[in-house]
Amino acid sequence: VYIKNKKGGEEVAVQASREGWRVTGTIRKGEEKMKGVKCVEYGMNDVGKEMERCSHVLVTIPPVKGGDIVLKNYVKSLRGKKWVGYASSASVYGQTDGRLVSETDAK
């Protein structure tokens, strides 16, 4: 399992580790490492290499202006995985005043 972004995936990463999964996750420079999780500093070359070794990927990094930085930087590393998932938040849609939204509405 590969968990991207400590802030959004830490609980999932730690729980998966407790259940016997080998878990690798990314952290920002200076962040505390997650217990039971192999941590790689995001932005380093090792991220793609570690991701290639994984069978499952959970991405919790939200898209930024201009697109999805995970797909942009690691699309080759995502190929051939058993499962790739995204955990997201409705906050990417901004204020909608109760209006229904779809993936094309993300800002």
Side-chain angles (χ1 to χ4, degrees):
V1 171
Y2 191 88
I3 309 292
K4 302 282 293 174
N5 184 305
K6 179 183 175 191
K7 186 176 180 182
E10 182 173 15
E11 288 183 35
V12 175
V14 171
Q15 184 62 38
S17 177
R18 284 185 192 137
E19 292 182 16
W21 289 79
R22 287 182 312 190
V23 181
T24 300
T26 57
I27 58 173
R28 292 188 176 117
K29 187 174 185 173
E31 279 186 332
E32 186 178 324
K33 292 186 177 185
M34 295 173 268
K35 186 175 182 175
V37 176
K38 179 179 180 181
C39 294
V40 178
E41 189 178 311
Y42 186 77
M44 302 301 288
N45 292 336
D46 292 344
V47 172
K49 291 175 188 173
E50 290 294 333
M51 194 182 299
E52 288 172 8
R53 295 182 184 128
C54 297
S55 60
H56 297 70
V57 177
L58 174 62
V59 180
T60 60
I61 296 176
V64 296
K65 197 171 195 169
D68 183 312
I69 61 173
V70 176
L71 287 177
K72 179 181 176 183
N73 295 315
Y74 301 108
V75 68
K76 290 180 183 176
S77 300
L78 292 172
R79 291 189 179 129
K81 300 298 173 217
K82 289 183 180 180
W83 182 85
V84 176
Y86 275 79
S88 187
S89 167
S91 65
V92 299
Y93 300 108
Q95 178 61 23
T96 65
D97 296 319
R99 176 179 60 81
L100 291 176
V101 295
S102 72
E103 291 298 316
T104 60
D105 295 321
K107 299 190 185 295

